[in-house]
């Protein structure tokens, strides 16, 4: 009852002209930043933080939270229209979103992304409001063993992503894991697999790899389709919005993905990217038509988008409850709080409850704002697919180059992008799935670091990963996920043998 009254007070505080303007401007800026390849929520907040110096605490932090929420959604726009994920969290959205756009339904795909993002975001804020303290305590129970088990579970998804060709999928995943080992050794600090290249000391940058594998490879594929037809007629656009039937069909997927995204978002270091991959896999596992995934399936858009936006509220749980930033973006937000003379943590709830619940109300309004902007802009955004390829290809290439350079202000990242563009091109030509490589590159270093920390803490005792309950559960889920495709293959093979040949 007390929380409900404080929430009403929070809405009362936030519904002023200045705060509403902060929400709208922040959401619009966030969407723009998220849609630009190479820029992400943390970079956007860091770049726009000076704008809040002269503002009071509530409108300043509400604007930054709106940028955060808008940027996570904005990544889906270019993922769907250009096969270029604006943020790493939108990598999964490419698989079905781009296919829908190519099938003449970009507006429908964009509307589903906005709707799923909105539902996931609102769900996570509700969890943030009512369950922050207990969920934050749960996050503190995760040590290196639990994080390794979680990463192992995430990596086990590869068996589902590569179900059509297991051998090629595993090869792709191994390449991703090997790439993740380049740089300074996480324990000893010794350079490994850098080949005396200074730029590799910090490891292989993920953004240029992502842009190269998806965007640049698509440019090569497009150029290959007869240069004289680059300006050919595009497929007609239909289905500019989703219907009630579409929404009902993905209800279970959105709810499940919102829960996954919130829980994974709470864990420090896990983030929106991991939650989107896990949710995509679970959506495919529970779907009645898993064969449609990757070919333009609404569930394939709804799952990652609900999850990655739910992770925004989840990441705020340890920040506000314990003062622990759960992601790169929330680490930047800690600086924003301190600039305003505030320190996130338990004392914030006691000393500034009106501000805390004002922030909760601001996040609700931020999700509403990007949803409205996304739905209103779906028709306009979808017109991108009408642009002739001779104009669109250079535009994508310029955006990709700027995005890769902006990551570290380094030309070496641009060369890395083009290199992985060539790799991605040949992977698509020879039908090697890209998703396992991306997933392995994201989770590989995290799995390795937590595995080695776990062994150091346990003095080399391997049983520590199996004697801790949470770790054991995730390991069991991971092994079950790994073997399920093989069990399914054996079962399908037996059914095929049992079917009598037709005469």
């Amino acid at each position: 009852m007390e929380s409900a009254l404080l929430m009403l007070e929070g809405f009362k505080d936030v519904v002023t002209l200045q705060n509403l303007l902060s929400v709208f401007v922040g959401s619009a800026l966030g969407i723009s930043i998220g849609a630009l390849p190479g820029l992400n929520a943390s970079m956007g907040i860091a770049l726009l933080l000076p704008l809040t110096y002269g503002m009071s605490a509530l409108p300043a932090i509400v604007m930054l939270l709106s940028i955060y929420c808008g940027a996570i959604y904005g990544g889906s726009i270019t993922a769907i229209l250009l096969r270029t994920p604006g943020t790493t969290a939108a990598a999964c959205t490419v698989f079905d979103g781009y296919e829908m756009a190519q099938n003449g339904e970009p507006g429908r795909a964009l509307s589903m992304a906005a709707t799923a993002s909105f539902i996931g975001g609102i769900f996570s804020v509700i969890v943030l409001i009512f369950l922050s303290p207990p969920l934050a305590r749960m996050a503190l129970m995760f040590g290196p063993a639990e994080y390794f088990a979680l990463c192992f579970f995430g990596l086990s998804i590869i068996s589902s992503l590569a179900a059509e060709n297991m051998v090629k999928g595993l090869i792709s995943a191994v390449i991703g894991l090997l790439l993740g080992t380049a740089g300074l050794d996480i324990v000893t600090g010794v350079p490994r697999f850098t080949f005396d290249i200074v730029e590799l000391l910090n490891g292989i940058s993920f953004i240029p790899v992502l842009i190269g594998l998806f965007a640049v490879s698509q440019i090569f594929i497009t150029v290959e389709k007869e240069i004289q037809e680059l300006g050919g007629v595009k497929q007609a656009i239909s289905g500019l919005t989703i219907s009630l039937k579409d929404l009902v069909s993905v209800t279970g997927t959105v709810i499940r993905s919102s829960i996954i995204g919130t829980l994974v978002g709470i864990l420090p270091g896990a983030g929106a990217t991991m939650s989107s991959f896990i949710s995509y896999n679970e959506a495919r596992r529970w779907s009645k038509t898993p064969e449609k995934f990757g070919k333009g399936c609404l569930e394939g858009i709804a799952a990652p988008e609900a999850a990655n936006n739910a992770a925004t509220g989840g990441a705020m749980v340890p920040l506000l409850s314990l003062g622990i930033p759960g992601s790169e973006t929330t680490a930047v937000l800690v600086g924003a709080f301190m600039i305003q003379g505030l320190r996130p943590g338990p004392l914030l709830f006691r000393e500034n409850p009106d501000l805390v619940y004002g922030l909760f109300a601001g996040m609700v309004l931020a999700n509403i704002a990007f949803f409205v902007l996304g739905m209103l802009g779906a028709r306009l955004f979808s017109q991108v697919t009408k642009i002739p390829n001779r104009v669109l290809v250079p535009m994508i290439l310029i955006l990709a180059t700027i995005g890769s350079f902006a990551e570290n202000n380094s030309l070496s990242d641009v060369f890395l992008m083009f290199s992985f563009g060539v790799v991605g091109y040949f992977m698509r030509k020879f039908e090697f799935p890209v998703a396992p490589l991306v997933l392995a590159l994201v989770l590989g270093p995290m799995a390795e670091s937590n595995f080695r920390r776990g062994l150091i803490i346990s003095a080399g005792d391997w049983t520590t990963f199996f004697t801790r309950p949470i770790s054991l559960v995730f390991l069991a889920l991971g092994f079950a996920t790994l073997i399920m495709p093989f069990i399914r293959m054996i079962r399908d093979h037996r059914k095929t043998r049992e079917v009598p040949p037709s005469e």
Side-chain angles (χ1 to χ4, degrees):
M1 187 63 183
E2 184 182 356
S3 296
L5 291 174
L6 286 169
M7 197 66 211
L8 287 174
E9 286 295 319
F11 274 108
K12 181 182 175 182
D13 291 340
V14 84
V15 181
T16 66
L17 181 60
Q18 183 185 14
N19 290 331
L20 291 175
L21 189 61
S22 296
V23 168
F24 180 81
V25 172
S27 297
L29 289 172
I31 291 172
S32 302
I33 289 166
L36 292 173
L39 294 180
N40 53 34
S42 57
M43 292 174 66
I45 291 174
L47 288 170
L48 299 174
L49 186 59
L51 296 178
T52 66
Y53 287 168
M55 301 169 66
S56 55
L58 184 58
I61 299 175
V62 162
M63 175 183 277
L64 297 177
L65 289 174
S66 299
I67 293 171
Y68 183 18
C69 297
I72 297 296
Y73 157 69
S76 67
I77 296 173
T78 44
I80 290 168
L81 298 177
L82 306 178
R83 203 175 185 267
T84 308
T87 61
T88 57
C92 267
T93 310
V94 170
F95 305 142
D96 289 275
Y98 184 73
E99 290 299 321
M100 283 192 69
Q102 291 300 292
N103 292 336
E105 296 182 310
R108 189 163 168 243
L110 289 167
S111 297
M112 176 53 71
T115 304
S117 298
F118 167 70
I119 296 172
I122 291 294
F123 177 86
S124 69
V125 175
I126 294 171
V127 171
L128 175 64
I129 294 169
F130 293 105
L131 298 177
S132 292
L135 287 176
R137 285 194 292 271
M138 184 194 76
L140 289 178
M141 294 170 63
F142 274 66
E146 285 77 15
Y147 276 112
F148 167 73
L150 178 63
C151 291
F152 175 75
F153 173 57
L155 287 168
S156 69
I157 294 170
I158 289 169
S159 63
S160 296
L161 295 177
E164 294 182 3
N165 194 318
M166 193 64 68
V167 174
K168 290 183 177 180
L170 291 176
I171 291 173
S172 179
V174 168
I175 292 172
L177 290 172
L178 290 174
L179 291 171
T181 61
L184 294 176
D185 185 280
I186 54 171
V187 175
T188 64
V190 175
R192 58 183 186 183
F193 306 120
T194 59
F195 306 101
D196 295 326
I197 300 173
V198 176
E199 288 78 7
L200 289 180
L201 288 175
N202 290 326
I204 292 177
S205 299
F206 181 64
I207 292 292
V209 172
L210 190 69
I211 293 173
L213 289 173
F214 287 109
V216 179
S217 66
Q218 181 61 36
I219 290 173
F220 293 153
I221 293 289
T222 303
V223 171
E224 188 185 37
K225 292 179 179 177
E226 300 187 59
I227 296 176
Q228 66 271 22
E229 294 184 5
L230 277 178
V233 178
K234 297 249 180 170
Q235 189 165 348
I237 295 175
S238 63
L240 290 173
T241 57
I242 56 171
S243 64
L244 182 60
K245 181 180 178 182
D246 291 333
L247 192 56
V248 170
S249 69
V250 299
T251 299
T253 298
V254 170
I255 293 172
R256 181 171 56 249
S257 299
S258 297
I259 295 171
I260 293 172
T262 302
L263 294 176
V264 174
I266 291 168
L267 304 176
T273 305
M274 182 188 290
S275 66
S276 64
F277 272 102
I278 292 175
S279 296
Y280 185 84
N281 179 70
E282 293 306 306
R284 185 172 180 172
R285 189 208 304 269
W286 288 89
S287 176
K288 296 178 181 178
T289 54
E291 68 280 357
K292 291 184 179 180
F293 278 68
K295 299 175 183 176
C297 174
L298 280 176
E299 288 179 278
I301 299 173
E305 285 304 306
N308 59 33
N309 281 270
T312 59
M316 294 298 293
V317 170
L319 175 67
L320 293 177
S321 298
L322 303 169
I324 299 172
S327 65
E328 184 181 342
T329 306
T330 51
V332 179
L333 285 171
V334 169
F337 274 92
M338 297 185 74
I339 287 170
Q340 298 295 334
L342 302 167
R343 186 165 186 84
L347 290 178
L348 189 65
F349 281 81
R350 183 185 303 172
E351 298 172 357
N352 302 94
D354 53 340
L355 174 68
V356 172
Y357 282 88
L359 296 181
F360 292 161
M363 286 194 74
V364 172
L365 294 179
N367 281 279
I368 294 173
F370 81 66
F371 172 68
V372 172
L373 290 170
M375 294 299 286
L376 292 176
R379 185 180 295 272
L380 176 63
F381 298 149
S382 63
Q383 300 306 308
V384 170
T385 58
K386 287 186 175 180
I387 299 175
N389 283 333
R390 65 175 180 271
V391 177
L392 192 60
V393 165
M395 286 172 57
I396 297 173
L397 192 58
I398 290 170
L399 283 173
T401 303
I402 293 172
S404 297
F405 180 80
E407 172 74 359
N408 296 306
N409 292 329
S410 172
L411 278 175
S412 62
D413 283 346
V414 178
F415 294 126
L416 188 68
M417 175 198 74
F418 280 108
S419 299
F420 275 92
V422 175
V423 171
Y425 168 78
F426 283 108
M427 287 182 72
R428 293 177 65 185
K429 292 291 287 184
F430 293 102
E431 298 182 346
F432 279 81
V434 174
L437 190 155
V438 173
L439 182 61
L441 186 58
V442 171
L443 298 183
M446 191 186 301
E448 182 198 1
S449 63
N450 284 291
F451 178 73
R452 295 176 69 178
R453 287 192 190 106
L455 288 178
I456 290 171
I457 292 172
S458 65
D461 184 5
W462 290 66
T463 60
T464 186
F465 298 103
F466 300 96
T467 54
R468 298 171 68 94
I470 297 176
S471 175
L472 181 61
V473 169
F474 278 118
L475 288 174
L477 288 172
F479 281 115
T481 303
L482 279 174
I483 64 175
M484 279 303 294
F486 294 101
I487 294 174
R488 197 176 296 116
M489 287 168 58
I490 294 171
R491 188 176 59 200
D492 292 343
H493 181 65
R494 285 178 177 174
K495 286 182 179 179
T496 304
R497 291 179 62 183
E498 290 173 1
V499 175
S502 55
E503 296 181 0

